Amino acid sequence: MRTRRRLPAPLTVEDVPELTDGSREEWDQCVESAQAPFFYRSWYLNAYRRHPTQPYRSAHHLMFRRPGGGVEAIAPAYLQGDPLGVLGDDAPCLVSGCWQAYHSTLATVERTPSALAEAAGALRSGLAGAACGSGASRYGLVNVPADDPTVPALTRAFGPGTAIDSLHELDLRTVRDFESYLALLSYRMRGQVRRHLRRAAEHGVDVVIRRPEGELLETAVDLMVGTAERAGGRGFLTPRRLSGFLRETADHTLLLVARGQDTVHGVGALVRDGSALHTTTAGFRAGSPPFSVHTLLFTAAVREAIATGCDRLVGGRRNTEVKVRFGLREQRLLAFTGRTDP
């Protein structure tokens, strides 16, 4: 006997230029259900829209739903250039999420293989539609970790991903305290860490946690922008945009501050996201003190992650050789893109 079953209506897409009261609530509910990273939260996206740390031509918040139903998938996207030069295009691209965000994913409520496949196809169609006539050379997702569970669905929709960068994480699930963290490191590295911490203490430098506000915020911005420029990222961060962004996200961000009696030697931004602690941006004063400010700040982040019960410390992109020595694991970040029709 033949049986009939009703197929679900296809997903439709709504392109929202700004997340306001109604759309923000639906959006964040989907983020929560999808367990997407904090880069997808409305507080982050609204701050980025008003204070883009990298400029964009247009912002898109794609919301996928069935007729009469709730939001089943979301994707923030921005028409912007490629400040890191990893896509090989001079023309702007419509990318999801944004270049500042180092973890993108296929953010869907349902996580079954069939639901992910449908959402990935709808996402490609939605991005292609938004890119049409915009001047974008290509569209797609950037900075998707290679071990993200949505990679197979994205591969079927876009084709194989292209490795464009690296992300680094420290697994803290077996780390009970700071000494057990040090036990993860090589003998030589443990000695170096202890020596730098001892020298910092001898010079009266310690690390405190503060809100990004007032004079400290402006000091942090100067150090972060200066550090990015010394590392070859001139123009990747600008003082005005970064200051506005940190000010608007102050309720969700903390600063690690390496301070002496009258000098701030370095700062690092922290964001708690569920069971993960992210070290998002750091800045160091130019010069060579007799201790490593980076070591001082990173080990303070490790202590904070352990103290707050986090099982992961996310250490951002690049500088792989140094981060691996501190016990972080490298994973590749992928781009899934398609070319716009000429």
Side-chain angles (χ1 to χ4, degrees):
M1 175 184 293
R2 286 190 296 177
T3 59
R4 296 180 180 179
R5 61 186 179 90
R6 186 184 298 275
L7 295 176
L11 291 170
T12 61
V13 61
E14 179 183 6
D15 188 346
V16 180
E18 179 181 0
L19 295 174
T20 55
D21 292 343
S23 59
R24 183 170 61 233
E25 182 177 355
E26 283 191 295
W27 183 279
D28 283 336
Q29 286 176 351
C30 185
V31 173
E32 191 71 30
S33 298
Q35 298 181 333
F38 75 91
F39 299 113
Y40 284 71
R41 298 278 180 180
S42 63
W43 63 261
Y44 183 91
L45 297 174
N46 281 340
Y48 189 85
R49 185 183 63 81
R50 286 187 280 267
H51 309 283
T53 47
Q54 293 83 43
Y56 60 78
R57 297 188 185 183
S58 61
H60 306 262
H61 304 87
L62 304 182
M63 305 173 73
F64 299 87
R65 68 175 86 227
R66 302 185 199 282
V71 175
E72 297 190 22
I74 56 168
Y78 301 87
L79 179 62
Q80 57 187 170
D82 175 6
L84 299 177
V86 295
L87 293 181
D89 274 288
D90 294 330
C93 306
L94 184 68
V95 295
S96 180
C98 63
W99 286 111
Q100 184 70 16
Y102 48 73
H103 185 169
S104 296
T105 188
L106 179 58
T108 64
V109 173
E110 294 293 331
R111 310 289 285 179
T112 63
S114 60
L116 289 173
E118 181 186 16
L123 174 60
R124 174 162 188 159
S125 297
L127 289 172
C132 183
S134 68
S137 62
R138 65 172 73 202
Y139 58 87
L141 283 81
V142 294
N143 296 326
V144 180
D147 64 357
D148 189 284
T150 69
V151 164
L154 292 172
T155 300
R156 286 192 293 272
F158 288 89
T162 301
I164 59 171
D165 217 324
S166 294
L167 179 66
H168 306 86
E169 291 188 358
L170 176 63
D171 187 346
L172 295 171
R173 287 175 295 181
T174 62
V175 175
R176 303 179 308 278
D177 51 31
F178 187 68
E179 286 301 315
S180 60
Y181 159 68
L182 290 178
L184 300 176
L185 310 183
S186 68
Y187 175 82
R188 180 179 181 182
M189 192 64 186
R190 287 198 299 273
Q192 290 179 355
V193 168
R194 290 192 173 107
R195 182 167 62 254
H196 286 299
L197 295 182
R198 184 174 62 252
R199 287 177 177 173
E202 291 170 351
H203 285 78
V205 177
D206 62 0
V207 177
V208 294
I209 297 179
R210 296 287 186 266
R211 280 176 55 88
E213 57 189 6
E215 183 179 347
L216 176 59
L217 184 147
E218 300 308 322
T219 298
V221 167
D222 289 342
L223 294 177
M224 291 173 178
V225 172
T227 300
E229 290 182 348
R230 292 195 300 274
R234 182 172 296 276
F236 186 70
L237 296 176
T238 62
R240 181 178 60 83
R241 293 193 183 103
L242 182 58
S243 176
F245 183 82
L246 287 175
R247 186 174 291 108
E248 186 157 339
T249 59
D251 289 341
H252 307 275
T253 306
L254 294 172
L255 289 180
L256 293 172
V257 184
R259 60 177 189 177
Q261 184 173 0
D262 55 4
T263 302
V264 174
H265 295 275
V267 295
L270 297 178
V271 175
R272 175 74 183 267
D273 185 26
S275 62
L277 186 68
H278 292 251
T279 59
T280 58
T281 311
F284 311 98
R285 190 170 298 281
S288 301
F291 54 86
S292 167
V293 180
H294 172 266
T295 297
L296 195 58
L297 288 173
F298 182 77
T299 54
V302 172
R303 292 181 189 273
E304 177 66 10
I306 295 171
T308 54
C310 293
D311 59 22
R312 288 184 300 134
L313 179 63
V314 184
R317 291 171 288 199
R318 307 210 165 179
N319 205 13
T320 296
E321 183 179 350
V322 171
K323 291 175 180 178
V324 168
R325 290 205 300 268
F326 278 92
L328 285 80
R329 176 179 68 91
E330 178 189 14
Q331 57 177 315
R332 303 301 289 168
L333 292 175
L334 307 177
F336 294 90
T337 64
R339 287 282 183 183
T340 53
D341 293 329

